[in-house]
Amino acid sequence: FHIGEREEKCIIEDIPSDTLVVGNYKVQLWDVHKHDFLESAPGLGMFVTVTSPTGEVLLSKLYGPQGTFSFTSYLSGEHIICFQSNSTRFAVIAASKLRIHLDIRVGEHFLDESAIQAKDKVDEVNVRLEHLIEQIHHVTREQDYEREREEKFRKTSEETNSNILWWAIVQTLILISVGIWQIKSLRDFFISKKLV
């Protein structure tokens, strides 16, 4: 995505609780002379701020023109990840465009292949088995989180349906009472004018 040099850009990630999130990014600066983005942005860095669903700041750190950040979610919900360059130029002067390449992996646990190759076959199987167990735990946590969200959605839908039913009953009663009042008013009018 593209941002201005002093602009802040935020993305929202819906993350289950107790989940590791790893993000890699790279910043490219617009070159006015070449009319293209430079391969890297020397001297520029990025402030990365991560906020939990309750507003608690989980991560606030300055990184270089490319880097890796990670955090663990303690609550399930929408986490806000914000990026802003550390440019010291004034907003009027800082008109340069930045291109940010971002890769976010949620719940990833990576195997160190060099460590696996160094160990014997039994240890390799053991490490791979532990890795699979971690992935199973991650999938289980995500399923629990989705069940929790589905239950909230179902409760909200049931409450809405109940409110709609009561509103329909109230509307019907109002219409019946207005109809009865109109009939009574017309009857009284006709009787007072001696038309009946």
Side-chain angles (χ1 to χ4, degrees):
F1 58 90
H2 293 149
I3 64 172
E5 197 169 331
R6 295 187 42 95
E7 180 184 354
E8 181 179 46
K9 189 77 102 173
C10 297
I11 60 170
I12 297 174
E13 282 287 325
D14 200 2
I15 303 170
S17 62
D18 296 325
T19 302
L20 175 67
V21 178
V22 178
N24 292 317
Y25 74 90
K26 177 183 173 183
V27 179
Q28 292 179 309
L29 180 65
W30 176 256
D31 188 355
V32 179
H33 305 296
K34 294 181 181 177
H35 296 290
D36 196 12
F37 287 96
L38 297 174
E39 204 44 48
S40 67
L44 271 182
M46 293 299 286
F47 284 109
V48 179
T49 306
V50 179
T51 309
S52 72
T54 60
E56 177 187 355
V57 176
L58 298 177
L59 174 72
S60 180
K61 191 172 177 182
L62 173 64
Y63 293 92
Q66 65 182 29
T68 301
F69 62 92
S70 64
F71 65 94
T72 302
S73 63
Y74 297 105
L75 294 172
S76 55
E78 294 181 342
H79 290 68
I80 301 172
I81 305 170
C82 295
F83 298 90
Q84 184 177 19
S85 71
N86 69 339
S87 174
T88 56
R89 298 195 291 177
F90 293 112
V92 177
I93 301 170
S96 295
K97 289 189 290 185
L98 300 175
R99 178 186 285 169
I100 300 178
H101 301 272
L102 179 63
D103 178 30
I104 295 179
R105 293 181 303 272
V106 178
E108 292 286 334
H109 298 284
F110 301 104
L111 287 173
D112 184 7
E113 293 295 332
S114 61
I116 291 175
Q117 291 174 356
K119 297 182 180 185
D120 63 2
K121 293 293 179 186
V122 174
D123 286 343
E124 180 181 345
V125 170
N126 191 20
V127 169
R128 288 193 184 272
L129 186 62
E130 288 174 4
H131 179 72
L132 286 174
I133 290 172
E134 283 181 16
Q135 286 182 333
I136 289 170
H137 288 306
H138 172 68
V139 168
T140 304
R141 282 195 304 268
E142 280 205 11
Q143 285 177 336
D144 291 342
Y145 177 59
E146 290 302 322
R147 275 191 210 103
E148 187 179 304
R149 288 183 64 199
E150 189 271 333
E151 186 177 332
K152 284 182 187 175
F153 179 75
R154 189 171 19 88
K155 283 182 183 177
T156 304
S157 297
E158 288 173 359
E159 288 174 6
T160 303
N161 286 340
S162 174
N163 290 340
I164 290 172
L165 174 68
W166 284 110
W167 179 245
I169 290 172
V170 167
Q171 279 183 327
T172 304
L173 291 176
I174 290 173
L175 285 174
I176 290 172
S177 60
V178 167
I180 291 172
W181 176 76
Q182 284 180 337
I183 290 171
K184 184 181 178 309
S185 297
L186 277 174
R187 195 179 118 225
D188 291 344
F189 174 76
F190 288 142
I191 289 174
S192 68
K193 297 292 181 184
K194 298 183 181 185
L195 296 173
V196 179

